């Protein structure tokens, strides 16, 4: 494991730790939270940042409000920012940012995962949505059929 001196991750649990969210409130709550305007600035107010810092923001589509605003806040503070996105997913998805921007618009470096559009791996016959297999059950749009 490689460790960097003074590496301090900024992780907002309401966006990353889905057990409490998916359990009681369902996936829709998590999808709502990642699109709340102003949440990125509220998260960052808890951290002392300077232009000596750097940031890594990861989003498959690069189109949700919080990740875009997070990169925008970093850029405004002079913090070098790397974004990891799927270029194809981003091109196929409309941004939810009020200014029409996407994550890559606020990144100094953009790394493309090469992943296809969507949040899953397998296209099911007769479906326009991507799905994936989990054990012996089909998982479709976050729910077991």
């Amino acid at each position: 494991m490689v460790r960097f001196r003074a590496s301090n991750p900024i992780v907002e649990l309401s966006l990353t730790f889905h057990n409490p969210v998916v359990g009681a409130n369902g996936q829709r709550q998590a999808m709502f939270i990642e699109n709340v305007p102003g949440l990125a600035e509220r998260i960052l107010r808890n951290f002392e940042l300077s232009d000596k810092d750097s940031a890594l923001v990861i989003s498959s589509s690069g189109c949700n409000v919080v990740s875009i605003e997070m990169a925008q806040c970093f850029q405004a503070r002079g913090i070098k920012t790397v974004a990891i996105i799927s270029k194809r997913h981003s091109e196929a998805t409309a941004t939810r940012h009020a200014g029409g921007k996407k994550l890559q618009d606020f990144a100094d470096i953009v790394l493309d995962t090469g992943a296809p559009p969507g949040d899953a791996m397998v296209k099911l016959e007769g479906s326009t949505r991507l799905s994936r297999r989990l054990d012996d059950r089909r998982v479709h749009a976050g729910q077991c059929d």
Side-chain angles (χ1 to χ4, degrees):
M1 179 175 154
V2 177
R3 227 173 130 82
F4 295 95
R5 196 177 88 215
S7 173
N8 298 299
I10 297 173
V11 178
E12 176 57 30
L13 290 179
S14 64
L15 296 170
T16 59
F17 186 61
H18 289 270
N19 289 349
V21 175
V22 174
N25 299 313
Q27 186 62 27
R28 286 189 174 100
Q29 180 68 23
M31 293 168 66
F32 172 80
I33 291 170
E34 68 187 3
N35 285 297
V36 173
L39 182 57
E41 187 61 51
R42 306 254 323 156
I43 294 167
L44 290 178
R45 72 183 180 170
N46 297 309
F47 299 90
E48 207 173 298
L49 301 169
S50 78
D51 59 1
K52 292 183 174 134
D53 292 312
S54 59
L56 172 66
V57 183
I58 305 168
S59 170
S60 182
S61 70
C63 294
N64 290 321
V65 173
V66 174
S67 58
I68 297 168
E69 287 185 355
M70 190 69 71
Q72 186 177 16
C73 289
F74 288 141
Q75 186 183 67
R77 290 170 168 83
I79 296 171
K80 297 294 183 198
T81 304
V82 176
I84 299 178
I85 63 164
S86 163
K87 187 176 176 188
R88 289 190 291 163
H89 191 168
S90 185
E91 290 170 351
T93 306
T95 183
R96 292 174 179 90
H97 184 262
K101 300 288 188 179
K102 294 187 177 185
L103 175 56
Q104 55 269 38
D105 295 324
F106 297 106
D108 298 291
I109 298 171
V110 178
L111 302 176
D112 181 8
T113 64
D119 291 323
M121 313 220 180
V122 179
K123 184 166 171 88
L124 295 176
E125 187 177 324
S127 174
T128 59
R129 300 169 77 176
L130 291 174
S131 296
R132 61 185 160 158
R133 279 237 184 253
L134 179 65
D135 297 324
D136 289 39
R137 296 167 285 176
R138 272 192 194 190
V139 176
H140 189 74
Q143 297 179 338
C144 292
D145 294 338

